[in-house]
CSV table of all heavy atoms in Angstrom, one decimal:
chain,number,residue,atom,x,y,z
U,32,VAL,N,73.6,29.8,-76.8
U,32,VAL,CA,74.2,29.0,-75.8
U,32,VAL,C,74.1,29.6,-74.4
U,32,VAL,O,73.8,28.9,-73.4
U,32,VAL,CB,75.7,28.8,-76.1
U,32,VAL,CG1,76.5,28.2,-75.0
U,32,VAL,CG2,75.9,27.9,-77.4
U,34,LEU,N,71.6,31.4,-73.4
U,34,LEU,CA,70.2,31.2,-72.9
U,34,LEU,C,70.0,29.8,-72.4
U,34,LEU,O,69.2,29.6,-71.5
U,34,LEU,CB,69.2,31.6,-74.0
U,34,LEU,CG,69.2,33.1,-74.3
U,34,LEU,CD1,68.4,33.4,-75.6
U,34,LEU,CD2,68.6,33.8,-73.1
U,35,LEU,N,70.6,28.8,-73.0
U,35,LEU,CA,70.5,27.4,-72.5
U,35,LEU,C,71.1,27.3,-71.1
U,35,LEU,O,70.5,26.7,-70.2
U,35,LEU,CB,71.2,26.5,-73.4
U,35,LEU,CG,70.4,26.0,-74.7
U,35,LEU,CD1,71.3,25.1,-75.5
U,35,LEU,CD2,69.1,25.4,-74.3
U,36,ARG,N,72.3,28.0,-70.9
U,36,ARG,CA,72.9,27.9,-69.6
U,36,ARG,C,72.1,28.7,-68.6
U,36,ARG,O,72.0,28.3,-67.4
U,36,ARG,CB,74.3,28.6,-69.7
U,36,ARG,CG,75.3,27.7,-70.5
U,36,ARG,CD,76.6,28.4,-70.6
U,36,ARG,NE,77.5,27.6,-71.4
U,36,ARG,CZ,78.5,28.1,-72.1
U,36,ARG,NH1,78.7,29.4,-72.2
U,36,ARG,NH2,79.3,27.2,-72.8
U,37,LYS,N,71.5,29.8,-69.0
U,37,LYS,CA,70.6,30.6,-68.1
U,37,LYS,C,69.4,29.7,-67.7
U,37,LYS,O,69.1,29.7,-66.5
U,37,LYS,CB,70.2,31.9,-68.8
U,37,LYS,CG,69.3,32.7,-68.0
U,37,LYS,CD,68.8,33.9,-68.8
U,37,LYS,CE,67.8,34.7,-67.9
U,37,LYS,NZ,67.0,35.6,-68.7
U,38,PHE,N,68.8,29.1,-68.6
U,38,PHE,CA,67.7,28.2,-68.3
U,38,PHE,C,68.1,27.2,-67.3
U,38,PHE,O,67.4,26.9,-66.3
U,38,PHE,CB,67.1,27.5,-69.6
U,38,PHE,CG,66.0,26.6,-69.3
U,38,PHE,CD1,64.7,27.1,-69.4
U,38,PHE,CD2,66.2,25.3,-69.0
U,38,PHE,CE1,63.6,26.2,-69.2
U,38,PHE,CE2,65.1,24.4,-68.7
U,38,PHE,CZ,63.8,24.9,-68.8
U,39,ALA,N,69.2,26.5,-67.5
U,39,ALA,CA,69.7,25.4,-66.6
U,39,ALA,C,69.9,26.0,-65.2
U,39,ALA,O,69.6,25.4,-64.2
U,39,ALA,CB,70.9,24.8,-67.1
U,40,ARG,N,70.5,27.2,-65.1
U,40,ARG,CA,70.8,27.8,-63.8
U,40,ARG,C,69.5,28.2,-63.1
U,40,ARG,O,69.3,27.9,-61.9
U,40,ARG,CB,71.6,29.1,-64.1
U,40,ARG,CG,72.5,29.6,-63.0
U,40,ARG,CD,73.4,30.7,-63.4
U,40,ARG,NE,72.9,31.7,-64.2
U,40,ARG,CZ,73.2,31.9,-65.5
U,40,ARG,NH1,74.1,31.1,-66.1
U,40,ARG,NH2,72.7,32.8,-66.2
U,44,CYS,N,67.9,22.4,-63.7
U,44,CYS,CA,67.8,21.2,-64.5
U,44,CYS,C,68.4,21.3,-65.9
U,44,CYS,O,68.6,22.4,-66.3
U,44,CYS,CB,66.3,20.7,-64.6
U,44,CYS,SG,65.3,21.7,-65.6
U,45,ARG,N,68.7,20.2,-66.5
U,45,ARG,CA,69.2,20.2,-67.8
U,45,ARG,C,68.1,20.5,-68.8
U,45,ARG,O,67.0,20.0,-68.7
U,45,ARG,CB,69.7,18.8,-68.1
U,45,ARG,CG,70.3,18.6,-69.5
U,45,ARG,CD,70.8,17.2,-69.7
U,45,ARG,NE,71.4,17.0,-71.0
U,45,ARG,CZ,70.7,16.5,-72.0
U,45,ARG,NH1,69.4,16.2,-71.9
U,45,ARG,NH2,71.3,16.4,-73.2
U,46,PRO,N,68.4,21.5,-69.7
U,46,PRO,CA,67.3,21.8,-70.7
U,46,PRO,C,66.9,20.6,-71.5
U,46,PRO,O,67.8,19.9,-72.0
U,46,PRO,CB,68.0,22.9,-71.5
U,46,PRO,CG,69.2,23.3,-70.8
U,46,PRO,CD,69.6,22.2,-69.9
U,74,ALA,N,73.3,21.4,-79.4
U,74,ALA,CA,73.2,22.7,-78.7
U,74,ALA,C,73.5,22.6,-77.2
U,74,ALA,O,74.2,23.3,-76.7
U,74,ALA,CB,71.8,23.3,-79.0
U,75,VAL,N,72.9,21.6,-76.6
U,75,VAL,CA,73.1,21.3,-75.2
U,75,VAL,C,74.5,20.9,-74.9
U,75,VAL,O,75.1,21.4,-73.9
U,75,VAL,CB,72.1,20.2,-74.7
U,75,VAL,CG1,72.4,19.8,-73.3
U,75,VAL,CG2,70.6,20.7,-74.8
U,76,GLU,N,75.1,20.2,-75.8
U,76,GLU,CA,76.5,19.8,-75.7
U,76,GLU,C,77.4,21.0,-75.8
U,76,GLU,O,78.3,21.2,-74.9
U,76,GLU,CB,76.9,18.8,-76.8
U,76,GLU,CG,78.3,18.3,-76.7
U,76,GLU,CD,78.6,17.3,-77.9
U,76,GLU,OE1,77.7,16.5,-78.2
U,76,GLU,OE2,79.7,17.4,-78.4
U,77,LEU,N,77.2,21.9,-76.7
U,77,LEU,CA,78.0,23.1,-76.9
U,77,LEU,C,77.8,24.0,-75.7
U,77,LEU,O,78.7,24.8,-75.3
U,77,LEU,CB,77.6,23.9,-78.1
U,77,LEU,CG,78.0,23.2,-79.4
U,77,LEU,CD1,77.4,23.9,-80.6
U,77,LEU,CD2,79.5,23.2,-79.6
U,78,ALA,N,76.7,24.0,-75.0
U,78,ALA,CA,76.5,24.8,-73.8
U,78,ALA,C,77.1,24.1,-72.6
U,78,ALA,O,77.1,24.7,-71.5
U,78,ALA,CB,75.0,24.9,-73.5
U,79,GLY,N,77.7,23.0,-72.7
U,79,GLY,CA,78.4,22.3,-71.6
U,79,GLY,C,77.4,21.7,-70.6
U,79,GLY,O,77.7,21.5,-69.5
U,80,LEU,N,76.2,21.3,-71.1
U,80,LEU,CA,75.2,20.8,-70.2
U,80,LEU,C,74.8,19.4,-70.4
U,80,LEU,O,73.8,18.9,-69.9
U,80,LEU,CB,73.9,21.7,-70.4
U,80,LEU,CG,74.1,23.2,-70.1
U,80,LEU,CD1,72.9,24.0,-70.5
U,80,LEU,CD2,74.4,23.4,-68.6
U,81,LYS,N,75.6,18.7,-71.2
U,81,LYS,CA,75.3,17.3,-71.5
U,81,LYS,C,75.7,16.4,-70.3
U,81,LYS,O,76.7,16.6,-69.7
U,81,LYS,CB,75.9,16.8,-72.8
U,81,LYS,CG,75.5,15.5,-73.2
U,81,LYS,CD,75.7,15.4,-74.7
U,81,LYS,CE,75.0,14.1,-75.1
U,81,LYS,NZ,74.9,13.9,-76.5
Side-chain angles (χ1 to χ4, degrees):
V32 168
L34 289 170
L35 281 179
R36 291 177 181 153
K37 179 181 176 198
F38 179 91
R40 204 172 42 251
C44 67
R45 181 178 179 268
V75 171
E76 181 181 321
L77 288 170
L80 300 169
K81 191 160 189 169

